[in-house]
Amino acid sequence: MAIPTPTPTSTTAAPSKDGADAYVPVNVPGLQSFVFALFFVFGGITSLNDVIIPKLKDLFTLSYAQAMLVQSAFFAAYFFVSIPAAAIVQRIGYMRSAVVGLVTMAVGCLLFIPASYSGVFVTFLLALFVLASGITIVQVVANPLISMLGKPQTASSRLTFAQAFNSLGTTVFPYVGAILILGSLATVDVTTLSGAALDAYRQEETRVVVNTYIGLAIALGLLAFAVWLNRRKLVETAAPTESILQAFDLLKQPRFALGALCIFLYVGAEVAIGSIIVNYLMESQVLGLGAEEAGKHVPLYWGGAMIGRFIGAGLLRLVAPGKVLAFAALATIGLLLVSGLSTGALSGWSLLAIGLFNSIMFPTIFTLACEGLGKRAAEGSGLLCVAIVGGAIVPLLMGHVADEAGLKMSLVVPAICYAVILYFGWYARRSQVAVS
């Protein structure tokens, strides 16, 4: 399918170090606030999975591997929807695509209503997939758009700052979700129920989940309406038509291909750790907390990422992004070792501290991989968002290891992921963008 690529008419092409076209910064007053709002919303909704997992695990008596299917269903959307999302952006532009994504997210939230009435685990997975499909579209829009709103040399810093609003969402949403969703966890032993009694109990317990997502659907509808009203702020024109499948040619570039792999591994590791935090902190050899109290600690993991991103936005202007990435990955590996080999408070808090060093990883990997892509930025963003499917696969692998060898041993899985990211940071420590 031939798709026209929209580019802002206020921009012109300038050569990068390797000769590729690059965007001149776009100056659209007020646009950054909309982009920050998008980061806040899709980050917060994604982090709610960490609260839903222990809830559904309890209600449906799931193993760790089965519970991780929540993340698999959610992040599978990135694999199936990212390339079509890039095509949508190329066809109708950034702002209208953001509206499409937000409306799709709202539909996914509303699907929790029939999921609750069905009392079947698979229907929740379907609702999560639709919700994540909308988030995928929004993320394909937001990442390259924030990169365009300034100088290419400071793209890592700018995207890191935007990701801080993403982390603000991941800090706020799980705390509220822990109170609303986990407060009634384990009040009834579901293994003692069967038949109609079990179905009725599951419907009753999932109503708190439904009410939460109905509220989110309303908020998403209002945000979509606001973006629609401002859709003409960014003036876009169609570039020469070309097939979206040509995006896969970018994988022939070693730096981009390795960056895509690291997005896969990073998202997988970050999501896997966030997914087990509640159960990890509930273990007697760690902190021995109750479900709701453990859930209230999840924001500390994501809050560390928020603080780290505000700090990192400044640090990345002073130190080569690749070097910062390598150091953060090394620190994370160290914290995983400490958590896995210790007990008590040290074990729990060292795991939570990983969020601080996760902070700069996604935006830094993203911008390092996309350096020099220029007008192919939307294609690159689409492929990198496909790589976010790591959030569907790595947690599932970690869940299998946890079932077989325990949660502490399962920390080996994300440690391996961070080791590859450490290598990429050092490999990409030299910029490919010409200084102007």
Side-chain angles (χ1 to χ4, degrees), residues 32-331:
Q32 284 196 9
S33 62
F34 281 110
V35 180
F36 292 155
L38 295 178
F39 275 95
F40 174 81
V41 169
F42 72 68
I45 292 177
T46 300
S47 67
L48 277 181
N49 290 350
D50 299 339
V51 176
I52 291 176
I53 285 174
K55 181 70 172 182
L56 297 182
K57 184 177 186 296
D58 175 72
L59 287 177
F60 294 97
T61 58
L62 307 172
S63 67
Y64 282 113
Q66 291 170 329
M68 288 299 186
L69 289 174
V70 167
Q71 301 291 23
S72 296
F74 191 91
F75 286 92
Y78 285 93
F79 180 80
F80 292 106
V81 179
S82 291
I83 294 299
I88 291 172
V89 174
Q90 290 181 330
R91 174 72 69 181
I92 65 176
Y94 286 99
M95 299 296 281
R96 289 174 175 80
S97 296
V99 174
V100 171
L102 289 167
V103 170
T104 304
M105 289 169 65
V107 171
C109 289
L110 294 176
L111 285 176
F112 276 81
I113 299 174
S116 175
Y117 281 108
S118 74
V120 178
F121 180 55
V122 174
T123 58
F124 284 94
L125 300 183
L126 175 61
L128 286 164
F129 178 84
V130 175
L131 173 59
S133 297
I135 291 178
T136 302
I137 298 171
V138 171
Q139 193 156 349
V140 169
V141 169
N143 287 325
L145 187 55
I146 199 67
S147 296
M148 291 163 55
L149 299 175
K151 296 179 180 179
Q153 290 82 6
T154 57
S156 288
S157 173
R158 195 163 50 257
L159 185 53
T160 297
F161 186 77
Q163 287 278 336
F165 287 87
N166 179 283
S167 294
L168 179 61
T170 62
T171 303
V172 173
F173 279 53
Y175 187 85
V176 177
I179 297 173
L180 296 177
I181 296 174
L182 295 183
S184 61
L185 188 64
T187 56
V188 174
D189 184 359
V190 294
T191 60
T192 64
L193 302 177
S194 61
L198 179 59
D199 292 338
Y201 175 70
R202 286 173 173 168
Q203 289 178 19
E204 179 66 27
E205 286 296 299
T206 54
R207 282 179 187 171
V208 294
V209 179
V210 171
N211 293 336
T212 301
Y213 280 87
I214 288 176
L216 288 174
I218 295 171
L220 289 167
L222 293 174
L223 181 57
F225 182 67
V227 175
W228 178 257
L229 291 179
N230 289 272
R231 66 191 182 280
R232 293 189 175 90
K233 280 192 173 183
L234 183 65
V235 181
E236 301 176 83
T237 57
T241 59
E242 55 186 28
S243 172
I244 191 64
L245 296 179
Q246 290 182 1
F248 288 96
D249 291 342
L250 294 174
L251 294 175
K252 296 178 181 178
Q253 302 180 25
R255 183 182 175 112
F256 181 82
L258 185 55
L261 173 62
C262 286
I263 289 289
F264 177 95
L265 295 174
Y266 165 71
V267 174
E270 180 192 48
V271 170
I273 293 171
S275 299
I276 58 99
I277 283 178
V278 173
N279 292 105
Y280 193 83
L281 298 182
M282 289 173 65
E283 292 207 335
S284 57
Q285 59 180 319
V286 185
L287 295 181
L289 301 176
E292 182 179 352
E293 191 62 29
K296 290 180 179 179
H297 281 68
V298 173
L300 298 176
Y301 174 70
W302 297 109
M306 178 182 66
I307 295 171
R309 280 167 176 164
F310 281 117
I311 297 172
L315 182 62
L316 287 165
R317 292 176 179 267
L318 304 174
V319 183
K323 293 180 180 179
V324 177
L325 177 62
F327 172 78
L330 181 62

